[in-house]
């Protein structure tokens, strides 16, 4: 079988379905907005420093930031651009981003409520489009097509290198089948089949779920990724946790693949 005979967009959808990933509603992210504004927005954060170093703003005046969260990327780049647009389906995230912008005296940022699956035709087209740590989407081809269409110059996206947010050891401790999420390899191949030949770099960023210092914090981290736990699962997990070194449960860093490309005309997409 030739590689062009493989439908990577469909394989991605199948893998996501098999992973039985818990869909995060806007309300889930609303509740985490304040915390993420503290843990994931520091200018000294290694992930952000590496990402900023790779984004080429030459010739750019505007930014489209999809899945902007609390304005992490938008606000770091706002001072170098005429306008930035932060897009997210969580109103809580947008509210925190707007508050942070006000506190920093940033007046060239706009915040728009929209999901990946929504109609984007009324959204502003910008020079640069970014999707940072927000690309575990239902339809990879549709998402990459939309981002390409929003960018006049360049697109930057980051994707999981690992195939799981939760280690297989924790999944087994719960008594659940070990499942793997689709990682960055799918995105590369989907783009290839669209007629886009992207650049690939790697970012080593801090693991935001590294703090497992207490049982309550650890359980919260697991529930966030794995969904609600049954009483039996909670008991199994608690027993497993008591046997572990809490500081070693999660890796200190999480690797991301930075996939970027020069945007192409939409009618050139295969």
């Amino acid at each position: 079988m030739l590689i062009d005979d493989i439908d990577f967009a469909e394989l991605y959808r199948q893998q996501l379905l098999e992973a039985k990933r818990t869909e995060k509603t806007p309300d889930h992210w609303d509740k985490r907005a304040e915390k993420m504004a503290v843990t994931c927005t520091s200018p000294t954060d290694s992930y952000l420093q590496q990402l900023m170093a790779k984004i080429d703003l030459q010739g750019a005046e505007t930014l489209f930031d999809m899945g902007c969260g609390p304005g992490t990327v938008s606000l770091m780049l706002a001072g170098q651009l005429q306008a930035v647009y932060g897009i997210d389906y969580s109103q809580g995230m947008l509210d925190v981003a707007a508050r942070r912008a006000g506190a920093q005296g940033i007046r060239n940022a706009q915040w728009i409520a929209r999901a990946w699956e929504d109609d984007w035709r009324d959204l502003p087209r910008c020079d640069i489009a970014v999707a940072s740590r927000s690309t575990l989407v239902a339809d990879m081809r549709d998402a990459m097509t939309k981002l390409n269409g929003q960018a006049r110059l360049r697109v930057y996206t980051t994707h999981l290198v690992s195939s799981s947010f939760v280690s297989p050891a924790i999944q087994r401790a719960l008594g659940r089948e070990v499942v793997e999420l689709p990682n960055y390899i799918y995105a590369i191949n989907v783009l290839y089949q669209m007629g886009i030949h992207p650049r690939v770099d790697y970012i080593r960023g801090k693991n935001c779920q590294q703090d497992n210092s207490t049982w309550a914090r650890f359980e919260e981290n697991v529930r966030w990724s794995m969904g609600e736990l049954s009483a039996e699962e909670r008991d199994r997990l608690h027993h497993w946790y008591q046997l572990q070194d809490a500081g070693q449960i999660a890796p200190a860093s999480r690797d991301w693949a930075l996939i970027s490309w020069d945007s192409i005309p939409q009618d050139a997409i295969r």
Side-chain angles (χ1 to χ4, degrees):
M1 178 182 288
L2 298 175
I3 191 170
D4 288 334
D5 295 329
I6 302 171
D7 186 343
F8 285 99
E10 179 58 30
L11 284 179
Y12 173 90
R13 287 189 289 269
Q14 292 176 10
Q15 182 66 39
L16 197 64
L17 182 64
E18 291 176 9
K20 301 176 184 177
R21 177 175 178 263
T22 302
E23 184 66 27
K24 301 297 186 297
T25 65
D27 179 63
H28 277 85
W29 292 110
D30 291 348
K31 293 174 181 176
R32 290 181 70 92
E34 294 289 352
K35 180 178 180 181
M36 286 184 64
V38 174
T39 60
C40 298
T41 63
S42 171
T44 62
D45 179 77
S46 175
Y47 170 91
L48 292 176
Q49 288 183 335
Q50 292 174 72
L51 177 61
M52 293 300 109
K54 294 293 185 181
I55 296 178
D56 179 7
L57 296 181
Q58 183 175 358
E61 297 180 346
T62 55
L63 172 75
F64 182 94
D65 181 10
M66 182 60 198
C68 67
T72 307
V73 173
S74 300
L75 297 182
M76 287 194 73
L77 294 177
Q80 302 176 63
L81 299 165
Q82 291 187 7
V84 297
Y85 300 89
I87 319 297
D88 207 291
Y89 74 158
S90 164
Q91 188 59 51
M93 289 289 185
L94 296 175
D95 291 344
V96 170
R99 189 190 71 218
R100 293 183 64 235
Q104 295 176 37
I106 294 173
R107 295 180 175 81
N108 63 337
Q110 296 186 38
W111 312 102
I112 303 172
R114 201 65 55 92
W116 281 101
E117 296 79 14
D118 292 341
D119 188 339
W120 288 15
R121 284 176 293 183
D122 63 325
L123 295 181
R125 192 162 183 255
C126 298
D127 296 316
I128 304 292
V130 173
S132 171
R133 297 187 286 200
S134 63
T135 56
L136 195 57
V137 294
D139 187 326
M140 181 59 69
R141 182 184 175 94
D142 181 63
M144 298 299 99
T145 299
K146 283 181 170 179
L147 279 179
N148 181 77
Q150 292 302 131
R152 296 187 188 94
L153 299 177
R154 292 173 288 277
V155 182
Y156 297 86
T157 65
T158 60
H159 306 253
L160 285 173
V161 171
S162 171
S163 58
S164 177
F165 281 110
V166 178
S167 76
I170 293 174
Q171 295 182 54
R172 285 191 287 268
L174 286 169
R176 294 190 185 185
E177 179 184 357
V178 175
V179 295
E180 296 185 340
L181 294 165
N183 65 8
Y184 75 105
I185 295 298
Y186 287 90
I188 293 172
N189 285 296
V190 167
L191 288 166
Y192 165 78
Q193 293 189 326
M194 290 168 57
I196 294 172
H197 300 282
R199 297 172 291 274
V200 183
D201 293 287
Y202 296 93
I203 293 175
R204 194 168 178 83
K206 180 181 178 181
N207 188 347
C208 291
Q209 292 186 335
Q210 183 187 2
D211 180 11
N212 295 297
S213 55
T214 66
W215 158 248
R217 187 73 184 90
F218 172 67
E219 183 187 18
E220 179 187 355
N221 287 337
V222 173
R223 287 174 57 242
W224 172 254
S225 295
M226 302 294 294
E228 290 303 318
L229 307 179
S230 68
E232 179 183 356
E233 287 177 330
R234 189 176 183 278
D235 288 344
R236 289 173 61 106
L237 190 66
H238 186 251
H239 175 72
W240 181 86
Y241 177 80
Q242 291 178 311
L243 301 176
Q244 309 304 310
D245 177 347
Q248 301 298 317
I249 289 177
S253 64
R254 174 170 286 152
D255 294 342
W256 297 85
L258 171 59
I259 301 177
S260 60
W261 67 94
D262 297 331
S263 62
I264 67 172
Q266 290 296 84
D267 59 8
I269 291 178
R270 294 200 297 256

